[in-house]
Amino acid sequence: MKTRSVMIGGMTQLQTCEDEFPATLEGVERRRTGSVTLVTGDGRVHLSLTDAESELLDRLDGHTSRNELESHFEGDLDELLSDLWSAGLLVGSELAPEPRMALSSAGIEFAGFDRIVASFYRGPGRWLFTKTFLCVATILAVAGLIMTVAQPPLRRPDSVSPTTLILLVVASVGAGVLHELGHALVIHHYGRRVGRAGFGHYWGEIAFFVDASDALFLEKSQRLIQALAGPATDAVLASAVTIAAHVLPDGPWTPLLQLVALGQWIVVAFNLAPILKLDGYWAAADLLDQPDLYAQSGRAVIQLLRGRRDPKTIGLAGYALISAAAGVAAICLTVSIWTNHYFHILGQVWNQGPFGIVAVCLFVTPALSGVITGLVHLTRSLTHRQRMIFEKEVTK
């Protein structure tokens, strides 16, 4: 019998299902997303199944033999059963304990974050979902945005020390943790499981991340709220720091507040840009009921150029063009801010000795790689769509 290696919590499990009459556990959940179906038991492990594999689940009732199952399934039955067994979705199977820490393709992962989120939610976290807090947070975010537009506090600081630059890196990491905590609290609030958390290289930067796979099983409105919880957290934080930079008297903290405010508003803009497959993209995909929004919008552009003019095609093609423009605008904004704002600061810190050089390197390396990653992603996206359009036109 064949076996297949399945990654469960960062560890490889080699398990097989020997039962001649396999049966799925009660309570196995399914959700159709795009061209695949996700299944899960307790929210710890999620498997992605094809249509044929999903249909076979209905026959795993404990009364249908392997021979009968094979007669109704064209794929590798042993491999599918092995995956289901390793994921703890078959009667008699059991998930292996999660390692406390593991290395994966995403980065360094840690178990137990769900318990941390649950504990925080039982305390102050629950208050975050009250109408009072939501009203205060909304007013704060709007006030900070208006203040930023009307009287920007983001002027270039007159003097920045290496310590301020390093504190800015620390503040950025802390803001990333709060961003992911916002997502995690919404997932827990709606009764789903928060997965493992960790640190990894994402969009060119070292970022904190949380496995939010179980959020795909939320209702549409809940998924939309979950996707926007991170940018909302960023916006509230950016507004709070912006207001502080306005109202507090000048002091050694002023340059840090100005730089943190600037960085957070950039993060908000990038997270909401729909082309980057960040929070704004997933919110748009849910809002438009298009799980494969990226692929669908690319095909819509081709169809529009070939003369198709129905509302859905026009809408998806419009999204493709708007998202591309948003991506270009976000990158241009970042380049402009770096040119007019950061270059002078970094040059000033660089000239403050070895400590200043180290501080500049710590700040520039992840930020620069993030910009390069964004440019590469945008170029590939636009090139791929243009290539598809060209190929379609040639083969007409």
Side-chain angles (χ1 to χ4, degrees), residues 52-358:
E53 291 170 340
S54 179
E55 291 176 4
L56 188 70
L57 289 186
D58 295 325
R59 299 180 180 274
L60 301 181
D61 53 9
H63 303 290
T64 307
S65 68
R66 280 177 175 269
N67 290 336
E68 292 178 275
L69 291 171
E70 288 179 345
S71 66
H72 293 91
F73 184 61
E74 296 181 357
D76 190 328
L77 179 63
D78 289 343
E79 185 177 42
L80 174 60
L81 292 177
S82 177
D83 285 353
L84 294 171
W85 182 271
S86 297
L89 298 178
L90 296 182
V91 173
S93 63
E94 185 176 329
L95 276 177
E98 289 186 295
R100 291 187 177 182
M101 184 178 72
L103 292 174
S104 71
S105 58
I108 302 176
E109 299 182 356
F110 304 93
F113 190 68
D114 185 62
R115 293 192 296 272
I116 296 175
V117 173
S119 178
F120 180 77
Y121 182 83
R122 288 193 296 268
R126 186 182 296 274
W127 183 72
L128 300 178
F129 293 88
T130 62
K131 292 182 179 180
T132 301
F133 176 81
L134 293 176
C135 288
V136 171
T138 301
I139 293 172
L140 179 65
V142 172
L145 181 60
I146 293 175
M147 196 171 289
T148 299
V149 174
Q151 186 183 356
L154 309 180
R155 63 184 184 277
R156 188 172 65 196
D158 297 328
S159 178
V160 175
S161 67
T163 301
T164 297
L165 207 59
I166 291 177
L167 288 176
L168 178 60
V169 175
V170 174
S172 298
V173 174
V177 173
L178 291 177
H179 174 103
E180 293 300 320
L181 182 60
H183 288 304
L185 284 171
V186 173
I187 294 172
H188 183 83
H189 177 73
Y190 288 121
R192 302 305 308 191
R193 190 180 191 280
V194 180
R196 298 166 68 85
F199 289 90
H201 194 259
Y202 190 67
W203 278 94
E205 297 202 36
I206 302 300
F208 181 75
F209 65 86
V210 171
D211 180 3
S213 300
D214 214 34
L216 292 171
F217 288 83
L218 294 172
E219 298 297 326
K220 174 183 175 180
S221 60
Q222 297 171 344
R223 294 196 307 273
L224 188 61
I225 293 172
Q226 191 274 146
L228 294 177
T233 303
D234 294 331
V236 171
L237 179 58
S239 295
V241 177
T242 298
I243 293 172
H246 272 96
V247 302
L248 292 179
D250 288 342
W253 53 81
T254 302
L256 179 61
L257 290 176
Q258 293 172 345
L259 292 173
V260 170
L262 176 63
Q264 281 304 112
W265 285 120
I266 293 175
V267 168
V268 172
F270 264 91
N271 267 306
L272 291 179
I275 196 175
L276 300 177
K277 283 196 173 181
L278 298 175
D279 297 324
Y281 168 82
W282 300 115
D286 279 323
L287 193 62
L288 299 174
D289 287 321
Q290 295 289 335
D292 293 330
L293 180 58
Y294 183 78
Q296 292 285 351
S297 63
R299 286 192 286 268
V301 172
I302 298 171
Q303 294 168 348
L304 187 66
L305 292 177
R306 299 187 66 177
R308 189 169 177 176
R309 296 290 187 271
D310 60 278
K312 182 178 179 180
T313 300
I314 294 174
L316 288 173
Y319 161 81
L321 297 176
I322 292 173
S323 64
V328 172
I331 291 174
C332 290
L333 174 63
T334 302
V335 172
S336 174
I337 290 174
W338 270 83
T339 302
N340 299 315
H341 199 91
Y342 282 122
F343 282 171
H344 173 77
I345 293 172
L346 296 176
Q348 183 186 84
V349 175
W350 183 274
N351 293 326
Q352 297 183 36
F355 187 38
I357 294 175
V358 171

